[in-house]
Structures are given as structure tokens and as C-alpha cells.
Amino acid sequence: MTEQNRPLDVVILAAGQGTRMKSALPKVLHRVAGRPMVSWAVKAARELGAREIVVVTGHGAERVEQELAGSGVRFARQEQQLGTGHAFLQGAAALGSHGDADILVLYGDTPLLRTDTLAALIADHRQEASAFTILSGELEDATGYGRIIRGAADGVERIVEQKDATPEEAAVREFNSGVYVMDARAFGLAQRITNENRAGEYYLTDLLGLYRSEGAKAAAFKLDDADEVLGANDRLGLAELERIVQRRINEAHMRAGVSIPAPETVFIEDTVQLGRDVVIEPGVILRGQTRVADGVTLGAYSVVTDSVLAERVVVKAHSVLEGAAVGAGADVGPFARLRPGTELGEGVHIGNFVETKNARLDAGVKAGHLAYLGDVSIGAESNIGAGTIVANFDGVNKHPSRLGAGVFVGSNSTIIAPRVVGDAAFIAAGSAVHDDVPEGAMAVARGKQRNLDGWSRRYWGGLRAKVQVKLPWLAGWLDRQENQTADRQA
Ligand code: UD1
Ligand code: CA
């Protein structure tokens, strides 16, 4: 096997507590761009073609393992957090095979690291025939980080932890990111790490000295952008990571032909796909497996999750879509809610305060205002009046209904499921439809109207004294009524 295609195993350190998050949630499960921080490391490892990935868990181990279950990683429990060297040893011990792979070490709380950067680190490690390569960066003030002490030769001599640094060492701007790639000797050498230092911890950084004592070459590969290894220690740090990831994602979309006039207000998860000439208005949030075709407009403050939008769809402001498929040229909102199982055909019109769930609306259906359409299919070109409710739930079970094509549902009708309404049927406004409606029929299912003559005069007349004080207009009206009667009697 040549160096270039040696297998790569990855150990992700994620056992630390993260006290400053002040959270019941383990630190590495806090989300950045919708993805737990540790999943970003797993994703990068996958993209690098890792043979094996081991995640070292400790604080909140069960929850971390649960979150990553099914992602094809192994876990190594580090019961006591005795330091990064100890954590690495637990992880490396859990690898299926030893002695034939390069090992990459990542942290579970640095989600900004680009896969390209890691690929460059590994390529450099292999090209330089280095045994141990540190991913380093440079900062004006590297307080908190271990510092890279370069010797006379081109290699790295030592890494000095903040706590152990002399003033001269602390002034060094090159810092240790904590990411390393190492050759297959790492597992054996790591067993010789001791905790003889000021912190009484097992330092993974001691591996460097152990490699050097073997006469092996150690190097540092410097990041272009030190922000890539930013971690989050508290919620402020978390928000900063979010801001950086969102800027990256939004900029990539803008470069690919998406308009985002106020990108600092828009949140798009990295799983979302956008076509060209998509316009994303301020405040929009796009999540999960959402796919948006060319020419779609997403209106201000809309939230779209796991939905597929075809060409030229217009989602108007303040709409919420989840698990919906929207056909070409359809328009939705403002203030619409499309819930899972919604399928809208081409050119469908959904207006304000319309909720759909498990609903198939064929091409050209219009539901302009105030409706609930649940567990229903509606044929092409039907018109759903304002206030229509498909009453799908009987308190225990949901029932399906089917409306044909070209149906006209008058306003404020209730269609009591399960119901079948034939093509071209009419439903009179205000109906409570409790029987099926045949094709082409008109259903009128409401009380018959009675008009009681003179009712108002009798009613208000009985309240004369109060009407006089509180309802001057009605008092005037009563006076005129009484004068007319008097005139007629005269
Ligand atoms: C470590 C490095 C330091 C480097 C810094 C970069 C050592 C001794 N020092 O600092 O040179 O500049 O990272 O951030 O390695 N972890 C465990 N188990 C443990 C301890 C840590 O899993 O027992 C995990 C943490 O969850 C975290 C990572 O390892 O993801 C780093 O731990 P942290 O305590 O932040 O590292 P430092 O010692 O501060
Ligand atoms: Ca740290």
C-alpha cells in the first residue's frame, strides 16, 4: 500500500463537560446550523473517506451515543476525563485494527473545520512523510491554546500548554488547534503518556515528544483561517459559530445564483438545496431535506422544513411548510401552514390562514382564505371557499375524504369525513355536509332561513330606557318607526 492511499481512521474527542454552556444537554449536542456540533466532525470524517470513526464519549455519553446511533460510528467511553491523551487512548483502543492506518484526531466541538482543510492537512502529512502533523493556526493573541514551539530545524520541537508556558512561549502566536494526523505508531506511543505536569492530566500533546524520541518527524500545517478551529465554550460562542456557518452557507448560495438581500437574517441548513434565481427574503429559515427549484421566491419570515418546491413557486410572508411538496407555479400564503403529507399540484393557490395536512390538491385548486384541509384529496380546479373545514377527526380516528374535480365549496362549509364529493358538485355556503354528494349535484345542508317581521322594534322597544342612554342611533330609529305608525294611524 502506498502512503497516499493508506486507510484513515478518525478519533473524535467528545467526552468533555462544557460547564459554561449551563445546560442539561452535553456540549457537543448543541446545534450549529441545525446539526449537533459532534455531527459536523462525523460528517467531515465521512467526507474524508474514513475507514473507521470512533467517538470518545463521557459527559452525557448516553445522549451523545443515542444522537449518533445509526451513523456508523463506534463509541469509546471515557468514564473519567483525565485529559486529551487519556481520551485518545480510549478511542484508539476501540479501533478495529491497529498498525496500518493514519489516525486523524478531531474534537466534537469545532464544527467550522472544512473537509478541504483536513484533506490538505492529510495530504501535507503524507507528502512530507511526517509521522505526526499538527493542524496549527496563527492568532494575534493565542491565550488559552497550547503554543507551537518550532526548533532550529523545520520541524516542531514542542507544544507548550498555556499553564506551563514561560512569558516568551506565551508570546508565540502559532497555536495548537488540537487536530492532528499521526501514523500508525500513535496507539503504541500514547500508552507512554504520563500525567506529570502542572494540571495532572494526560496530555495528548506529549505524543509529539514521544514521536521525536523515536527519531520521527513532527510537523505543523498552518491554517489559512484560524476561525475554522473556533470552538464554543458558552452560548455566546455558540451564536458566533452559528453566525460564521450561516455566512458561509449563504455566501455559497449567493455565488451560485440565489438572491439573499439580508443574509445576516437568513438561516439555511447545509442539507438544503437551492436552484438558480431563488429569492430569499429577510428572516427566512430553511431546514432539513428541503429542495427548492429555480425561480422560487421565499417570502419574509417563512420557515420551510423537509419540503420540495418546484419551479417558480411563490411562498408569501410568514408561511410555515413542513414535509410538503409544492407544484410548479403554485403560490402559498401569506400566513399559510402546510403540514406533512401536503402535495400541491401546479398552479395551486393557497391563501392566508389555510392549513393543510395529508392533503393532495390537484392542479389549479384554490383555497384562498381560512380553511383546514386534512386527510383529503381534491381534484383539479376545485374552489374551496373561505372558512371550509374538512372535519377529519371523530375524537378517536382520522377519516379520509375525496372531492372530485371542479367542485365548488361555498364558504363556511364543514365536510364531515369520511366523505366523497363528485366532480363538478356544488356545496352551498354554510353547509354541514354529512352525506356524500353525487357528481354535478348541489348540496344544501343548513337550517332554512326564517325572517321574523318587526322583531327588532319589539325587542329594542322593551329596553327603551336603556336604549335611550346607551344606543342613541337605535333610539332615533325606534322614534321614526313609532312616528310612521302614528302617521299611518292618523
Ligand atoms: C487542548 C490542547 C491544546 C490546544 C487546545 C485546542 C492538550 C493537552 N491541549 O487544550 O494544546 O491548544 O486543545 O482547543 O491536549 N476531551 C475529552 N476527554 C478529556 C479531555 C478532553 O474527551 O479527558 C475532549 C474535550 O471534550 C474537547 C477536546 O478533548 O473536545 C479538548 O479538550 P479541552 O479540555 O478543551 O482541551 P485543552 O486541554 O484546553
Ligand atoms: Ca479547550
Side-chain angles (χ1 to χ4, degrees):
M1 204 173 285
T2 72
E3 280 177 8
Q4 299 310 318
N5 54 23
R6 265 196 311 259
L8 180 75
D9 290 337
V10 177
V11 174
I12 300 172
L13 307 187
Q17 184 165 26
T19 323
R20 281 188 284 156
M21 282 289 176
K22 306 233 166 89
S23 178
L25 197 66
K27 175 176 174 177
V28 295
L29 292 188
H30 283 266
R31 287 169 190 266
V32 171
R35 198 188 279 277
M37 287 198 278
V38 67
S39 303
W40 284 96
V42 172
K43 179 178 182 239
R46 284 251 167 291
E47 288 169 353
L48 289 166
R51 178 180 69 177
E52 264 199 81
I53 302 170
V54 172
V55 178
V56 181
T57 60
H59 278 281
E62 288 88 0
R63 290 182 78 170
V64 177
E65 291 168 14
Q66 207 173 4
E67 178 72 39
L68 294 176
S71 68
V73 305
R74 286 178 193 232
F75 300 105
R77 286 276 179 104
Q78 187 196 21
E79 299 297 346
Q80 271 185 301
Q81 281 68 60
L82 302 177
T84 49
H86 180 257
F88 171 75
L89 204 54
Q90 314 307 303
L95 289 169
S97 48
H98 298 99
D100 64 337
D102 287 332
I103 301 177
L104 173 70
V105 175
L106 299 174
Y107 289 174
D109 62 354
T110 55
L112 303 185
L113 252 180
R114 294 177 192 270
T115 304
D116 286 353
T117 302
L118 293 171
L121 166 72
I122 293 162
D124 185 76
H125 172 80
R126 290 175 178 175
Q127 245 151 41
E128 299 294 317
S130 169
F132 182 85
T133 307
I134 304 156
L135 182 65
S136 71
E138 217 169 89
L139 284 173
E140 207 57 60
D141 175 7
T143 302
Y145 285 110
R147 309 297 206 286
I148 304 293
I149 310 299
R150 288 179 182 266
D154 64 343
V156 173
E157 207 173 277
R158 283 178 303 131
I159 303 173
V160 186
E161 289 307 295
Q162 176 80 35
K163 302 183 189 77
D164 307 317
T166 64
E168 298 85 74
E169 288 167 340
V172 170
R173 291 164 41 167
E174 191 176 4
F175 70 91
N176 170 29
S177 72
V179 170
Y180 320 89
V181 55
M182 357 175 133
D183 72 14
R185 285 172 282 180
F187 181 54
L189 290 174
Q191 305 187 30
R192 289 164 36 195
I193 296 175
T194 67
N195 63 352
E196 287 151 20
N197 52 53
R198 209 166 284 182
E201 284 183 17
Y202 293 85
Y203 285 174
L204 182 53
T205 46
D206 286 357
L207 256 191
L208 173 65
L210 292 165
Y211 267 109
R212 283 174 55 84
S213 69
E214 297 280 294
K217 177 173 171 182
F221 177 82
K222 216 185 275 182
L223 282 163
D224 290 333
D225 174 10
D227 272 1
E228 281 196 45
V229 290
L230 269 183
N233 289 320
D234 57 19
R235 312 272 181 153
L236 279 77
L238 197 63
E240 178 66 6
L241 298 185
E242 183 74 34
R243 194 184 61 79
I244 294 171
V245 172
Q246 288 308 332
R247 197 180 56 204
R248 250 189 217 176
I249 292 174
N250 291 344
E251 284 179 4
H253 286 305
M254 289 188 274
R255 286 200 188 89
V258 173
S259 282
I260 313 181
E264 63 286 358
T265 68
V266 167
F267 293 83
I268 306 174
E269 292 182 1
D270 73 323
T271 42
V272 171
Q273 294 173 28
L274 302 176
R276 278 162 74 125
D277 293 315
V278 168
V279 175
I280 302 181
E281 294 180 359
V284 169
I285 301 176
L286 305 177
R287 297 195 167 118
Q289 305 303 315
T290 293
R291 295 204 312 273
V292 178
D294 293 354
V296 167
T297 296
L298 295 158
Y301 303 100
S302 292
V303 181
V304 181
T305 305
D306 297 330
S307 295
V308 178
L309 278 52
E311 294 75 22
R312 300 179 318 285
V313 163
V314 176
V315 175
K316 294 178 188 163
H318 297 281
S319 295
V320 178
L321 284 65
E322 183 183 356
V326 182
D331 72 293
V332 173
F335 300 101
R337 180 162 184 219
L338 307 186
R339 292 172 54 202
T342 295
E343 282 178 50
L344 305 184
E346 280 188 27
V348 164
H349 166 65
I350 297 287
N352 41 242
F353 307 109
V354 173
E355 174 180 344
T356 62
K357 193 219 72 186
N358 202 13
R360 201 188 110 175
L361 277 55
D362 289 346
V365 169
K366 293 181 175 58
H369 346 248
L370 299 156
Y372 172 66
L373 308 173
D375 297 307
V376 67
S377 71
I378 302 176
E381 306 293 336
S382 289
N383 194 308
I384 307 299
T388 296
I389 304 289
V390 177
N392 59 327
F393 186 50
D394 63 11
V396 179
N397 294 306
K398 302 273 174 68
H399 301 280
S401 293
R402 190 153 45 83
L403 276 61
V407 168
F408 184 94
V409 181
S411 294
N412 200 36
S413 293
T414 303
I415 295 165
I416 302 166
R419 235 18 355 106
V420 175
V421 176
D423 290 347
F426 271 76
I427 292 171
S431 289
V433 178
H434 52 87
D435 276 326
D436 289 351
V437 182
E439 180 176 340
M442 163 67 129
V444 186
R446 63 190 183 207
K448 233 181 156 64
Q449 183 168 335
R450 295 184 297 156
N451 295 334
L452 308 181
D453 278 341
W455 189 91
S456 291
R457 188 178 159 185
R458 289 193 296 280
Y459 177 73
W460 293 121
L463 297 167
R464 198 64 161 101
K466 280 193 178 156
V467 166
Q468 205 70 46
V469 179
K470 290 195 163 173
L471 302 165
W473 184 88
L474 271 171
W477 179 80
L478 277 174
D479 291 346
R480 287 195 296 281
Q481 295 281 305
E482 274 149 27
N483 290 342
Q484 278 168 21
T485 314
D487 286 352
R488 253 178 272 142
Q489 284 167 353

